[in-house]
Amino acid sequence: MEKQNTDFYNRKYAEGDFSYDPVTERSWLEKHIVDRFGLSPGDRVLDLGCGKGLHAALLSSFGLRMFGVEPSFQGVMGAIERGSKAIFIRDSASALEHYFDENEFDMIFCRGMSWYHRELDRICPATGVDVREATGDFFRYIKPGGLFVLQICTDFSGNHPDEDAYNNRLSSYLELFEPHGEIVSTTNWAGVDLVNDEQAEVVKGGIVIATRKVICSHPGQHFH
């Protein structure tokens, strides 16, 4: 099932890419990722499901040590051709253990990855992935005190069309990330704070949710 998903993106990226304005995207990343979360040159950041690598390449221009993981051959080829300092790996996000050490990254940035467009509370029939389990695994590769930042489209309606991306509710994303650390920021893409399901559905505009991995000083003692 994951192969079918990868085949779709191979066809998509062979024909082109999503429509992005690099200047606009870089400005957004600077304001809403680099500055908001205090990233500094030399910080190690992993872009999960990086596609053709635009956002990884733009983030590398701020001096970040960027790595991108993408299962699509066409996606990785397009990412490499951008000529940035980012390092790109063609493999599934479920295969991080083959490339990275635990506690390696200051941030994992996940923008538009298809796994988070579908079921968040059970195995997804379309991909065969249990996002709850996968998300917990991703946190193994984040340093204590580091962040997992998800940026994903949703109108928060709870509408789950059969042949399209789901519009998961704010509460569904909160429930997904709360077991893994402290949720330190929940906004839409414009930076408007999201408060509850009702307000989020009125505000709309997608979600940027950041979760800080707990720092454990002693067994059974957590500090945020």
Side-chain angles (χ1 to χ4, degrees):
M1 286 180 282
E2 188 174 359
K3 181 181 183 301
Q4 293 175 2
N5 195 49
T6 301
D7 288 345
F8 168 82
Y9 283 101
N10 270 325
R11 293 191 297 271
K12 168 73 178 177
Y13 294 138
E15 297 169 357
D17 197 358
F18 295 95
S19 179
Y20 297 122
D21 173 22
V23 174
T24 300
E25 296 299 315
R26 189 180 190 279
S27 177
W28 188 93
L29 289 168
E30 182 175 23
K31 178 179 179 180
H32 293 283
I33 301 298
V34 178
D35 291 347
R36 180 188 297 184
F37 300 117
L39 291 175
S40 301
D43 284 350
R44 296 172 70 88
V45 178
L46 173 63
D47 184 351
L48 277 179
C50 65
K52 296 187 84 168
L54 173 64
H55 296 88
L58 292 173
L59 285 167
S60 74
S61 72
F62 295 103
L64 304 175
R65 298 182 65 185
M66 290 299 307
F67 299 80
V69 172
E70 166 62 42
S72 161
F73 173 80
Q74 293 290 343
V76 170
M77 289 301 296
I80 293 172
E81 288 170 1
R82 292 186 187 279
S84 74
K85 293 183 179 179
I87 296 172
F88 297 101
I89 297 168
R90 183 171 71 90
D91 211 333
S92 169
S94 63
L96 300 185
E97 63 182 343
H98 300 304
Y99 306 98
F100 306 115
D101 295 327
E102 294 189 7
N103 304 320
E104 181 163 347
F105 293 102
D106 298 282
M107 176 185 288
I108 291 180
F109 178 53
C110 186
R111 186 193 187 282
M113 184 178 170
S114 59
W115 291 4
Y116 291 95
H117 274 306
R118 304 287 293 186
E119 286 86 352
L120 301 178
D121 59 351
R122 58 189 181 277
I123 294 175
C124 173
T127 63
V129 173
D130 186 334
V131 171
R132 297 166 301 178
E133 181 178 340
T135 299
D137 188 62
F138 294 151
F139 272 82
R140 292 169 47 205
Y141 300 94
I142 301 172
K143 298 176 182 178
L147 293 168
F148 186 105
V149 179
L150 173 69
Q151 179 189 3
I152 203 85
C153 289
T154 180
D155 65 11
F156 303 105
S157 65
N159 182 32
H160 292 175
D162 290 338
E163 301 298 329
D164 204 351
Y166 285 9
N167 286 293
N168 289 304
R169 294 189 181 278
L170 171 62
S171 57
S172 297
Y173 288 106
L174 294 173
E175 290 167 5
L176 176 65
F177 286 102
E178 280 171 346
H180 304 296
E182 178 190 8
I183 298 175
V184 296
S185 180
T186 311
T187 71
N188 70 4
W189 291 19
V192 177
D193 288 331
L194 302 174
V195 178
N196 54 43
D197 283 340
E198 293 73 24
Q199 179 256 6
E201 192 173 353
V202 171
V203 172
K204 301 188 187 303
I207 188 171
V208 180
I209 180 167
T211 307
R212 189 177 304 282
K213 183 175 177 178
V214 295
I215 301 173
C216 297
S217 179
H218 301 288
Q221 186 177 12
H222 291 178
F223 297 92
H224 299 292

